[in-house]
Amino acid sequence: MNEKKILIGVCGSIAAYKTAYLIRLLKKQHADVRVIMTSSASGFITPLTLSTLSKNPVLTRFTANDQGEWNNHVELGLWADIFVIAPASANTLAKMANGICDNLLLAVYLSARCPVYVAPAMDLDMHKHASTQANMRKLQESGVKMIDAEYGELASGLTGTGRMAEPENIVSIINDFFSSGRPLQGKKALVTAGPTYEKIDPIRFIGNHSSGKMGVAIARQLMAYGAEVKLILGPVNDFFDLESISVSNVISADEMYELAKEQFTGADITVLAAAVADYKPRIFADSKIKKNKDNLTLELTKTPDIAASLGKKKSDGQIIVGFALETDNEFENARKKLYSKNFNMIVLNSLNDPGAGFGHDTNKISILDKDNNTREYELKSKTGVAKDIVDAIVENYF
Ligand code: PMT
């Protein structure tokens, strides 16, 4: 769990004493742990105990001090790789299920982009009550993962299901999350996305319709699978939430080429989804070209072929996945590019398929590899397509 960012939420329950041990186990595995407590939790265990064990200040309120500084719940929600609420009381589960946001823990839950796990702890009758069961089902439907309460003796003296899972079991679930759900953990990935613009004069350029959506979706999927992702993005600026991806913005094919050469070193996986202009004006006019002739001839010269150049430099163990955007002889042209650019796989999208290619939120692809396999996929969202592509990479090479 080296340096994994684990956010622990603690609610008011006698089981809060077990959270001290949970934090100790996580710290032993070198996790970076931060803790948020509800105000009732601090009646069961002190913030001082948990801040000493986690080696970080414990947060309990929206405001950090009497000067009105606030604990930024959005920042906490984005910081965490995983958010584990243990113990999760019936009260907090009910509020989570209904979007209530009257304390810092709940605000962080609503802001978190990482997976959220809850370890319920309560008396057996509260646990089996129809409302609690309905709240837990509702949370699971919205993607929250349950760490089931265990059977045993409860604080009330009764015996039944309601004990918070043992800290060792919670640690094992967290370990499974970091290994199995993230098959590209520790891998480095490079993605190109978007168009390039080749300047004609200070006003005009040669460009294309790429929106960057396909490449950005792939970068996000690689990141979700645990890879450290660098994204070289052409001139599109519709993407606001790429915080964990290292983004370099470029404009021209030359700029994309220089950065890609540099960032390719050390990349285990490279996906080239950018629509790079193949030609640029041979001469850039320093001032606006005047409209004083009926015809104007622009002399064009080739841009660097980024894909072919990386394909030449590729060493054993590096995987390159290219794209082919075609309008005719699609499969034949894609297969030629697969070999001439030394890709491991190529993703073909054809402008003849409605909903595929540029701009749309959807795409329809086929994946071709060097063993002559061709896999055709349905039209689906670019997020779904990105998952298919990254799953194919994982299946074939990792
Ligand atoms: O951005 P969106 O609106 O979501 O649209 C997605 C997309 C249609 C742009 C994307 O799915 C796609 O097909 N990208 C590749 C487009 C393209 O330039 O295809 P190509 O067949 O011309 O190029 C073949 C491969 O060589 C591509 O991986 C391309 O990135 C790469 N290339 C091409 C020319 C060049 N000078 N350098 C390159 O690296």
Side-chain angles (χ1 to χ4, degrees):
M1 278 198 217
N2 225 354
E3 293 177 15
K4 289 284 171 302
K5 298 184 194 104
I6 302 177
L7 188 59
I8 300 288
V10 190
C11 305
S13 157
I14 188 71
Y17 78 93
K18 289 187 185 174
T19 309
Y21 187 48
L22 169 65
I23 293 170
R24 201 157 158 260
L25 293 176
L26 295 172
K27 289 302 290 180
K28 268 192 172 169
Q29 294 196 20
H30 310 289
D32 188 358
V33 180
R34 291 170 78 174
V35 181
I36 310 173
M37 297 173 79
T38 62
S39 56
S40 53
S42 50
F44 291 89
I45 188 160
T46 67
L48 181 63
T49 306
L50 300 188
S51 66
T52 308
L53 290 169
S54 65
K55 300 191 170 44
N56 270 317
V58 166
L59 307 173
T60 53
R61 301 181 301 165
F62 283 109
T63 47
N65 54 34
D66 294 336
Q67 280 76 55
E69 276 177 49
W70 65 312
N71 289 315
N72 188 335
H73 57 90
V74 175
E75 183 266 321
L76 279 169
L78 293 177
W79 171 85
D81 293 320
I82 183 172
F83 185 16
V84 182
I85 304 174
S89 64
N91 182 41
T92 292
L93 291 172
K95 288 180 177 179
M96 285 168 71
N98 291 288
I100 295 171
C101 182
D102 61 0
N103 63 38
L104 182 65
L105 187 150
L106 292 162
V108 173
Y109 162 64
L110 290 177
S111 317
R113 296 226 181 110
C114 62
V116 178
Y117 284 67
V118 291
M122 61 200 76
D123 201 54
L124 78 161
D125 292 309
M126 291 170 78
H127 186 263
K128 69 175 176 217
H129 195 282
S131 314
T132 309
Q133 289 295 322
N135 288 333
M136 291 199 287
R137 267 196 309 280
K138 196 167 166 190
L139 285 171
Q140 277 177 299
E141 278 158 19
S142 66
V144 171
K145 309 269 189 309
M146 282 294 148
I147 304 177
D148 289 337
E150 294 175 1
Y151 180 90
E153 194 182 335
L154 299 161
S156 60
L158 300 172
T159 298
T161 301
R163 284 172 65 90
M164 182 175 101
E166 291 306 317
E168 288 85 352
N169 298 343
I170 299 179
V171 170
S172 143
I173 287 168
I174 297 175
N175 268 321
D176 283 353
F177 160 74
F178 281 119
S179 49
S180 69
R182 294 160 76 87
L184 297 177
Q185 189 72 39
K187 302 289 173 206
K188 292 190 163 60
L190 172 64
V191 179
T192 67
T196 66
Y197 289 175
E198 312 303 326
K199 281 186 189 171
I200 298 171
D201 68 11
I203 315 282
R204 301 143 176 136
F205 59 83
I206 297 174
N208 61 63
H209 300 293
S210 171
S211 63
K213 287 177 191 167
M214 190 67 256
V216 166
I218 292 168
R220 285 199 173 115
Q221 187 60 45
L222 287 162
M223 192 195 70
Y225 276 8
E228 190 186 310
V229 183
K230 289 186 175 160
L231 171 66
I232 307 178
L233 184 60
V236 282
N237 48 16
D238 288 344
F239 305 103
F240 302 109
D241 53 352
L242 297 170
E243 286 83 358
S244 311
I245 298 174
S246 158
V247 185
S248 305
N249 295 101
V250 295
I251 295 181
S252 66
D254 285 317
E255 285 171 25
M256 190 174 272
Y257 174 60
E258 289 307 322
L259 260 180
K261 269 195 307 187
E262 196 183 303
Q263 300 190 348
F264 182 62
T265 313
D268 301 292
I269 303 161
T270 299
V271 183
L272 301 168
V276 186
D278 290 319
Y279 289 92
K280 63 179 178 181
R282 196 174 69 79
I283 294 166
F284 166 65
D286 285 335
S287 51
K288 185 178 175 187
I289 299 172
K290 294 289 174 224
K291 199 175 61 175
N292 49 15
K293 297 186 217 156
D294 283 344
N295 296 306
L296 174 71
T297 304
L298 270 182
E299 194 181 342
L300 302 180
T301 179
K302 267 193 172 167
T303 55
D305 189 326
I306 304 167
S309 150
L310 301 187
K312 273 195 196 117
K313 282 175 47 175
K314 185 171 77 168
S315 57
D316 284 352
Q318 281 189 299
I319 307 299
I320 304 184
V321 178
F323 268 76
L325 180 62
E326 304 294 340
T327 52
D328 41 58
N329 297 329
E330 292 100 327
F331 285 91
E332 196 187 322
N333 288 335
R335 207 158 267 293
K336 272 189 200 150
K337 285 177 187 167
L338 171 69
Y339 287 99
S340 67
K341 300 191 188 218
N342 196 19
F343 294 150
N344 296 74
M345 296 191 321
I346 193 157
V347 179
L348 163 66
N349 40 190
S350 165
L351 290 183
N352 296 323
D353 288 322
F358 287 134
H360 313 282
D361 288 327
T362 52
N363 204 357
K364 182 174 184 325
I365 59 156
S366 301
I367 299 182
L368 289 69
D369 68 22
K370 282 190 166 160
D371 295 326
N372 263 331
N373 298 313
T374 300
R375 204 154 146 187
E376 296 185 42
Y377 296 81
E378 302 285 296
L379 179 80
K380 53 178 88 167
S381 70
K382 282 189 173 160
T383 309
V385 171
K387 186 165 184 310
D388 288 338
I389 294 169
V390 179
D391 280 341
I393 296 172
V394 171
E395 209 174 283
N396 285 316
Y397 305 105
F398 295 94

